[in-house]
Structures are given as structure tokens and as C-alpha cells.
Amino acid sequence: MKNLTISTFSIQRYAMLSIVFTVFGLSLCANKGYSQTSYKSTAGSQIKVTGTSNLHAWNMLATTFTSEGSLKVRDGELQDISSLSFSLPVTNLKSKDDLLDTRAYKALKASEFNRITFRLKGATVMPQQKIKVTGDLTIAGVTNEIIIMSTYAMNSDETITFKGAKQIKMSDHKIKAPSFMMGALKTGNEVNIEILLKLKRQNSIAQN
């Protein structure tokens, strides 16, 4: 009878351990799809600034800057963005006109504030591969909260492409619109910032 009791206890203990490990394994499998993953910008990313003047439109383009974020992807679908930022050296913005570049850098106070930055505050992933992004945009040392409506695409090489645009007023960042030829050419106060981020997967971050 004693041996039977010990045997029964051993079977029950084994069964309980099996249940615990099974539940633990299922939990790991379930959480795997939601793991947070680090992404960084890769070739193909660009930031374009366009504006107007009393004579013609103008634009400046940058293809060299840094961007990184933490994203949650499951079954090839974007689930959430917990962090996202970019940092753009002002002098990496280039036009086809050296004089325009020089005046733009001066207006942006590049000698004092040499980077344009963005830091995510919140993001809502919506149907049809759209995202509502809220964050802090800092230009010429002045930070303003902005909202950008963006689209995204999941690429076959495990990169994710984000596209969005935001129209801002230079005066909101205490920037005086540049002028040329002793004021004969004056740029408009509003500019459009077009952002294309191509982010490449780095590594998964374990969840606590």
C-alpha cells in the first residue's frame, strides 16, 4: 500500500510538471509573435523640404541621416510602434543652388542648432496600412508637437517603408523666411516636409 501511494504521488507530480511546462511553452510561443524588434534606417530613406517664393518653388533633399525605432510585427503585419525617431544634420539638406543652401542654413541657425530631430510620443496603427503619428519636431532649437498621417508597406526583405508629409510654418519655429537679391526674392512662410523612412530589422528585444 505504501509503494502504491508513492507511485500515485509520483504520477500526479509528473502530470503537474508536464502541465506547467506545457503552459509555459505555449506562453512563449504566443508572445514570440509580439516581440519588440529594433529597426534602423537604411538606403532609400530621404527627407525632402519644399517651399514657395514670389518667383518659383524650391526644394531641398537629404538622404543621409539616422532613424531608429522599436516596432511590433506579427505574421507580417505591423501591430505597434513603441518608439521612433530621426536625427537630420541641417547641412545634409541640399538643393541645386548653393546660395539657397547658404541662406537656408543661416535661417535654420545651423551653426547653433545643427540638427533637425523628431521623437515619437504616440502612434496608432489603423486599417489599410495607415498610421497616425504624434511626436515632437525640433527645428532651430524650437520644439513643437505635430501629428503626421503616414502609410507603411511591409517589404519582402523584412524592411518597412513609411511615407508621410507635414506642412509647417517656419514662424512656428521662430525662423525668419530667407530672402535673396536684397529682398527681391522672398520665400513663403509655409514649407512641406516629406518623410520617407526605410527601416531595416536589427534584433528582437526580450519582453519582461
Side-chain angles (χ1 to χ4, degrees):
M1 179 65 69
K2 183 177 180 180
N3 290 337
L4 179 60
T5 302
I6 294 174
S7 178
T8 301
F9 175 76
S10 298
I11 293 172
Q12 290 175 339
R13 185 180 180 185
Y14 176 78
M16 182 61 69
L17 288 173
S18 297
I19 293 171
V20 170
F21 282 117
T22 299
V23 171
F24 181 70
L26 290 173
S27 177
L28 286 178
C29 291
N31 287 333
K32 185 176 180 182
Y34 288 98
S35 62
Q36 195 173 15
T37 305
S38 175
Y39 284 76
K40 291 187 177 181
S41 55
T42 188
S45 299
Q46 67 175 44
I47 296 176
K48 185 178 182 180
V49 180
T50 60
T52 60
S53 73
N54 58 332
L55 293 182
H56 57 74
W58 57 270
N59 69 79
M60 302 180 76
L61 180 69
T63 57
T64 305
F65 58 95
T66 58
S67 179
E68 57 186 15
S70 294
L71 286 64
K72 291 183 180 180
V73 176
R74 186 181 69 161
D75 299 330
E77 293 293 331
L78 180 64
Q79 301 292 315
D80 187 33
I81 304 175
S82 57
S83 70
L84 183 65
S85 64
F86 72 72
S87 179
L88 166 64
V90 173
T91 53
N92 284 4
L93 281 168
K94 302 288 185 183
S95 71
K96 296 180 180 181
D97 186 334
D98 291 340
L99 179 59
L100 172 60
D101 293 348
T102 300
R103 295 296 177 87
Y105 301 154
K106 183 178 179 180
L108 292 169
K109 307 171 189 175
S111 59
E112 185 178 0
F113 306 104
N114 63 357
R115 288 180 180 272
I116 296 171
T117 63
F118 173 84
R119 186 170 297 277
L120 180 77
K121 296 179 74 175
T124 303
V125 180
M126 301 185 295
Q128 299 181 330
Q129 295 187 309
K130 295 181 180 180
I131 311 171
K132 181 181 179 180
V133 176
T134 303
D136 287 333
L137 177 67
T138 302
I139 303 176
V142 177
T143 300
N144 289 323
E145 182 178 285
I146 62 171
I147 296 175
I148 303 175
M149 296 305 299
S150 172
T151 60
Y152 71 92
M154 309 293 295
N155 304 316
S156 59
D157 60 358
E158 293 193 329
T159 61
I160 305 177
T161 302
F162 296 91
K163 293 182 180 180
K166 181 66 178 179
Q167 189 172 76
I168 66 168
K169 293 181 179 180
M170 286 190 274
S171 57
D172 288 342
H173 290 269
K174 302 188 186 311
I175 298 170
K176 184 179 180 181
S179 61
F180 305 85
M181 298 181 293
M182 300 180 67
L185 188 156
K186 297 180 180 180
T187 59
N189 184 37
E190 293 186 346
V191 297
N192 194 55
I193 302 175
E194 300 174 28
I195 303 168
L196 189 158
L197 300 180
K198 187 175 183 180
L199 303 183
K200 185 176 182 179
R201 180 175 177 170
Q202 302 296 304
N203 59 283
S204 294
I205 303 170
Q207 300 290 296
N208 293 325

